């Protein structure tokens, strides 16, 4: 009887250890696949400065309700982070944003079996404060490949009420009008000459003249 109880106890401990180990592995895999990121939001009353010396390396329209240009989505880099910015036009605000980014060939953006995006499974989702007109995502460049794709979805409010919106790009294979954008990290390289000129214009205190 004692031997049986001891055997059962050993088996239970083994199961607990294995379960914890598997759970930890799942967390590590998820962390490795998901870029580190942070989100900053702005309203019309906020002011902020740019993160790089040049113009955004890419801009595309933010299409709302399939027929309205509600603003733009831009891509930039500060050398450490890829910066994806949602910016809406007058009379529009941003209620929520959902962003998925990854390797194009591996089809990292979550989709259904029929090819429609699974917005609820996007890696980055944020509900925003009232009156937000600009949302900035900072994503770690080190976890991205040279060729990458991203799907930038938003819930926006405009003159005719609430609309769903997508950064304009290539249509998904499904039967929705959802889109994703194909891009290259090298498109965001900061021009070295422009950076040098910027530094030369600074005085010894580090302030721009």
């Amino acid at each position: 009887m004692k031997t049986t109880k001891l055997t059962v106890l050993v088996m239970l401990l083994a199961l607990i250890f294995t379960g914890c180990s598997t759970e930890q592995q799942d967390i590590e895999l998820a962390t490795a696949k998901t870029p580190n990121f942070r989100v900053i939001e702005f309203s019309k009353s906020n002011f902020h400065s740019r993160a790089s010396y040049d113009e955004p390396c890419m801009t595309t329209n933010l299409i709302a309700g399939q027929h309205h240009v509600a603003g733009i989505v831009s891509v930039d880099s500060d050398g450490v982070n890829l910066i994806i910015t949602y910016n809406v036009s007058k009379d529009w605000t941003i209620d929520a944003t959902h962003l998925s980014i990854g390797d194009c060939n591996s089809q990292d953006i979550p989709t259904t079996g029929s090819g429609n995006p699974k917005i609820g499974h996007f890696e980055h989702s944020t509900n925003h404060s009232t009156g937000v007109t600009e949302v900035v995502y900072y994503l770690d460049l080190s976890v991205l490949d040279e060729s990458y794709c991203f799907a930038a979805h938003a819930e926006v409010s405009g003159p005719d009420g609430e609309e769903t919106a997508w950064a304009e790009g290539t249509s998904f294979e499904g039967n929705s009008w959802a889109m994703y954008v194909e891009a290259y990290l090298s498109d965001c390289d900061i021009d070295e000459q422009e950076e040098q000129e910027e530094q030369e214009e600074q005085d010894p205190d580090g302030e721009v003249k």
Side-chain angles (χ1 to χ4, degrees):
M1 181 67 70
K2 290 183 179 179
T3 303
T4 303
K5 288 183 179 180
L6 180 61
T7 302
V8 172
L9 179 60
V10 171
M11 291 176 64
L12 285 173
L13 289 173
L15 286 171
I16 291 171
F17 177 79
T18 303
C20 292
S21 177
T22 302
E23 182 179 357
Q24 182 61 34
Q25 289 176 357
D26 290 343
I27 292 172
E28 289 174 354
L29 286 172
T31 303
K33 184 177 180 181
T34 303
N36 295 325
F37 79 105
R38 57 191 173 98
V39 183
I40 301 176
E41 59 183 36
F42 302 95
S43 64
K44 290 185 173 70
S45 61
N46 294 134
F47 172 81
H48 66 285
S49 59
R50 287 186 48 74
S52 66
Y53 296 99
D54 54 354
E55 292 299 317
C57 50
M58 173 188 291
T59 59
T60 187
N61 288 328
L62 180 65
I63 306 298
Q66 203 168 355
H67 303 295
H68 308 287
V69 177
I72 62 171
V73 173
S74 63
V75 180
D76 206 347
S77 170
D78 60 6
V80 177
N81 302 289
L82 188 73
I83 305 167
I84 297 181
T85 303
Y86 297 70
N87 196 309
V88 290
S89 308
K90 182 181 179 181
D91 299 329
W92 292 88
T93 57
I94 305 172
D95 304 321
T97 51
H98 310 92
L99 180 67
S100 181
I101 186 168
D103 180 68
C104 297
N105 296 325
S106 299
Q107 298 180 340
D108 286 342
I109 299 173
T111 57
T112 64
S114 58
N116 292 316
K118 297 169 71 172
I119 300 169
H121 291 141
F122 281 13
E123 309 95 273
H124 314 299
S125 298
T126 310
N127 293 320
H128 300 293
S129 308
T130 302
V132 167
T133 58
E134 182 173 331
V135 176
V136 186
Y137 279 81
Y138 288 78
L139 303 111
D140 187 352
L141 281 171
S142 66
V143 298
L144 297 173
D145 296 322
E146 162 62 13
S147 173
Y148 67 94
C149 287
F150 69 89
H153 174 268
E155 297 171 19
V156 297
S157 294
D160 298 326
E162 297 178 355
E163 301 277 6
T164 186
W166 290 95
E168 189 173 24
T170 303
S171 297
F172 282 92
E173 294 180 358
N175 57 6
S176 70
W177 64 278
M179 295 173 281
Y180 65 92
V181 179
E182 301 177 71
Y184 296 90
L185 291 182
S186 56
D187 292 340
C188 287
D189 290 343
I190 297 174
D191 187 271
E192 294 182 1
Q193 182 177 355
E194 189 172 346
E195 181 178 359
Q196 183 177 355
E197 291 175 355
E198 180 78 13
Q199 292 174 347
E200 290 175 354
E201 291 178 359
Q202 294 181 349
D203 64 22
D205 296 326
E207 297 179 354
V208 178
K209 297 180 180 178

